[in-house]
Amino acid sequence: MNKQAPYIMVVDDEQDIRQLVSEILEDEGYDVAMAENATEAKALKNQRQPNLILLDIWMPDSDGITLLREWVSEDDALCPVIMMSGHASVESAVEATRLGAYDFLEKPLSLAKLLLIVERALETSSLQRENAGLKQQLMIGVDPVGKSAVVERTKDKLKRLAQHDARVLFVGEAGVGKEMFARYLHNNSSRRDGSFVDVSVGSISPENSAVEFFGREDNGRVYRGLLEQAHRGTLFLGEIGGMDPETQTRLLSALESSSFLRVGGSQAVRVDVRVVASTRMSLEEEVNSGRFRQDLYYLLNVVTLEIPPLREHSEDVPSLLNFYVDHFVTQEKLPFRRFSMAAQNYLRNYSWPGNVRELRNLVQRLMILGAGDDIELDEVKTALGSIAEQPKLGLNVPEFFNLPLKEARDHFEKSYLEYHFEKTGGSVAKLASAIGMERTHLYRKLHSLKIKL
């Protein structure tokens, strides 16, 4: 995929200035769109997100400050905006800067200065996106952990696949790390500077799926759906087999045409997105039974990549234990504990039905509820035996007991649901039945607690 030229929107009611600025920017290799008033500008921005906006302060239908204020209030990730004016007051300049305008250009424009500021604004924006992406990678630990032949072979395949835009279907048991491998694919591709948008398909209720995927327009305000959020990046659809039939039809149409209508909208929105998906179930069986559309299956399954269960590369268990200990010490400020050699050897021979997710949860549980620098074999056996077999209450109470009630309840509910989710093999339907909770309420709860499905 060739890197696309930055898309710049020029908003000015004077045709000569609009034309001049646009021609100069196009000569520099930028992709440019023009609007002569606020109404046109809003419509253009809703159709396609710009990388930079040049915005005049004085326009016939609305002033640029008002338009900037509106965009800032409804778009957390607004691109850089450079204000332009020939007769602006100091107050206007101050207000524009306060609202977050990148810079302020006075007319008549110095074209050399214009090009310099445009270049700097785009560089700054690109660096901010890159830093945000790096922070996200550091928090999640993007590179799959392990030096086994299995993991190295999978990473090599992904590096080769990353050079192309083919859709990939990640297949594997619950908890093997399909999302982490999908992030690795994204970060080794030409889309690495774009967003990686991760969605657990099962956590989206059918009645909300159109808005979630395609966004909504309401009285001139725009909510951007998952496909737009992933524009020029990657959309990861986790556990695609749980998608309801209506959403399957909508998504198929959008992926075939690379365009869609927002709910309440009348103009087609075009996006450039690499879609990758994952499944723990056999999609061939789902297709044969009529529960999954065959044409969507073929569309998503250009390349199949199987992610092996942890028991097939158990030599990576010690590395994974160390990685998650460091992760929880760094990210959640939990006190450092180390696994004894006996505990590590025992865990290397454990079958790991919940795979890497079970290992991660085990490490977190032992670090929160245990005491002492070393995690010994007996403590590991107890923790694996049952989550109910926690240390007896006394001086050594769980850390979350010291939190306010709402936070403590969230901690308990998250651990409780993750435990039962593992026991039921990652099925939302079985989980709902096991804990006696209506499925719609369960979807909301899983979503609010950010539990990965």
Side-chain angles (χ1 to χ4, degrees):
M1 186 190 76
N2 296 325
K3 197 158 185 175
Q4 288 180 292
Y7 172 52
I8 300 176
M9 201 163 81
V10 179
V11 187
D12 198 302
D13 65 331
E14 296 179 62
Q15 185 177 356
D16 291 347
I17 291 178
R18 231 174 28 243
Q19 201 68 42
L20 175 65
V21 170
S22 297
E23 287 173 3
I24 288 167
L25 291 173
E26 284 173 347
D27 285 345
E28 292 295 313
Y30 297 116
D31 185 4
V32 184
M34 294 184 287
E36 64 176 322
N37 54 43
T39 305
E40 271 189 22
K42 285 193 270 193
L44 266 179
K45 184 174 178 295
N46 286 347
Q47 285 173 36
R48 182 181 171 192
Q49 282 286 74
N51 299 104
L52 177 71
I53 299 172
L54 289 162
L55 178 60
D56 189 26
I57 283 194
W58 301 108
M59 292 181 290
D61 56 346
S62 175
D63 66 276
I65 299 290
T66 300
L67 188 54
L68 176 62
R69 186 181 292 112
E70 183 181 320
W71 281 339
V72 167
S73 70
E74 64 186 30
D75 190 348
D76 291 335
L78 182 65
C79 66
V81 177
I82 298 170
M83 306 301 291
M84 305 182 294
S85 179
H87 35 76
S89 64
V90 175
E91 289 81 5
S92 296
V94 170
E95 178 65 4
T97 306
R98 187 188 69 78
L99 287 169
Y102 179 81
D103 211 329
F104 198 96
L105 288 172
E106 290 186 78
K107 295 177 183 176
L109 297 171
S110 159
L111 299 180
K113 185 177 180 184
L114 168 70
L115 290 175
L116 182 63
I117 290 175
V118 164
E119 187 179 349
R120 283 180 181 168
L122 288 168
E123 280 178 2
T124 302
S125 178
S126 177
L127 282 170
Q128 285 173 343
R129 286 197 309 275
E130 194 175 321
N131 287 340
L134 286 170
K135 281 180 186 171
Q136 188 183 40
Q137 291 175 30
L138 287 170
M139 287 182 69
I140 298 166
V142 168
D143 279 14
V145 177
K147 296 293 182 186
S148 64
V150 168
V151 170
E152 292 296 342
R153 207 162 41 238
T154 305
K155 286 161 73 172
D156 285 343
K157 284 181 188 173
L158 286 170
K159 283 178 183 173
R160 290 198 298 273
L161 284 170
Q163 307 314 307
H164 311 280
D165 247 358
R167 297 190 180 104
V168 180
L169 180 65
F170 291 85
V171 177
E173 296 176 8
V176 291
K178 298 186 285 289
E179 178 200 340
M180 187 176 283
F181 282 100
R183 285 183 186 274
Y184 186 78
L185 172 71
H186 169 80
N187 289 325
N188 282 278
S189 76
S190 58
R191 295 177 178 271
R192 66 181 69 87
D193 292 336
S195 299
F196 179 91
V197 177
D198 162 31
V199 53
S200 295
V201 170
S203 68
I204 299 176
S205 58
E207 60 269 23
N208 291 331
S209 66
V211 172
E212 289 281 351
F213 278 105
F214 310 127
R216 180 181 64 240
E217 290 182 34
D218 185 20
N219 294 324
R221 296 178 70 87
V222 173
Y223 165 77
R224 300 186 193 284
L226 294 162
L227 281 163
E228 273 186 274
Q229 291 171 35
H231 180 56
R232 294 188 178 177
T234 304
L235 177 64
F236 174 66
L237 302 173
E239 299 307 334
I240 193 76
M243 183 177 284
D244 65 279
E246 194 174 344
T247 306
Q248 289 179 36
T249 303
R250 288 177 183 142
L251 187 63
L252 175 70
S253 173
L255 294 182
E256 284 181 329
S257 64
S258 295
S259 67
F260 53 88
L261 289 176
R262 299 190 193 98
V263 175
S266 56
Q267 289 184 307
V269 178
R270 295 196 65 80
V271 289
D272 170 24
V273 176
R274 181 181 196 169
V275 176
V276 296
S278 75
T279 182
R280 66 166 69 98
M281 59 179 69
S282 167
L283 283 189
E284 292 95 333
E285 288 180 15
E286 295 298 298
V287 168
N288 292 336
S289 66
R291 288 188 295 270
F292 198 85
R293 290 188 63 122
Q294 187 177 51
D295 42 10
L296 180 59
Y297 170 62
Y298 288 141
L299 194 70
L300 293 172
N301 186 27
V302 176
V303 177
T304 299
L305 191 68
E306 194 155 340
I307 306 300
L310 183 52
R311 62 183 171 275
E312 290 184 12
H313 56 108
S314 58
E315 63 267 43
D316 289 324
V317 166
S319 298
L320 284 161
L321 293 173
N322 290 334
F323 172 81
Y324 282 115
V325 166
D326 290 343
H327 171 82
F328 289 121
V329 168
T330 306
Q331 300 300 328
E332 299 191 12
K333 310 303 179 196
L334 293 175
F336 176 80
R337 303 189 75 204
R338 71 177 66 83
F339 283 83
S340 69
M341 194 55 65
Q344 289 187 46
N345 288 336
Y346 180 82
L347 290 173
R348 279 190 63 165
N349 294 304
Y350 176 63
S351 61
W352 296 111
N355 292 294
V356 177
R357 183 188 295 141
E358 182 184 4
L359 182 145
R360 180 189 191 278
N361 292 343
L362 174 71
V363 174
Q364 184 179 31
R365 203 149 64 227
L366 289 167
M367 290 180 73
I368 290 173
L369 298 174
D373 290 342
D374 292 324
I375 301 172
E376 300 291 354
L377 178 58
D378 287 347
E379 189 179 354
V380 167
K381 286 182 176 179
T382 300
L384 286 172
S386 168
I387 196 171
E389 295 176 34
Q390 303 295 357
K392 296 291 184 284
L393 291 183
L395 292 177
N396 185 30
V397 297
E399 188 65 30
F400 66 79
F401 273 36
N402 298 315
L403 296 173
L405 178 60
K406 183 183 182 308
E407 290 179 45
R409 186 166 57 232
D410 287 348
H411 272 259
F412 167 74
E413 287 184 345
K414 191 168 191 294
S415 296
Y416 173 82
L417 289 170
E418 285 175 339
Y419 168 71
H420 282 285
F421 202 45
E422 282 176 19
K423 278 189 67 177
T424 53
S427 163
V428 176
K430 289 178 183 175
L431 175 62
S433 174
I435 67 173
M437 191 174 191
E438 200 272 321
R439 204 185 302 187
T440 304
H441 296 316
L442 179 58
Y443 279 126
R444 291 199 198 100
K445 178 62 72 176
L446 294 171
H447 191 66
S448 70
L449 293 172
K450 295 182 173 59
I451 293 176
K452 299 288 184 190
L453 301 186

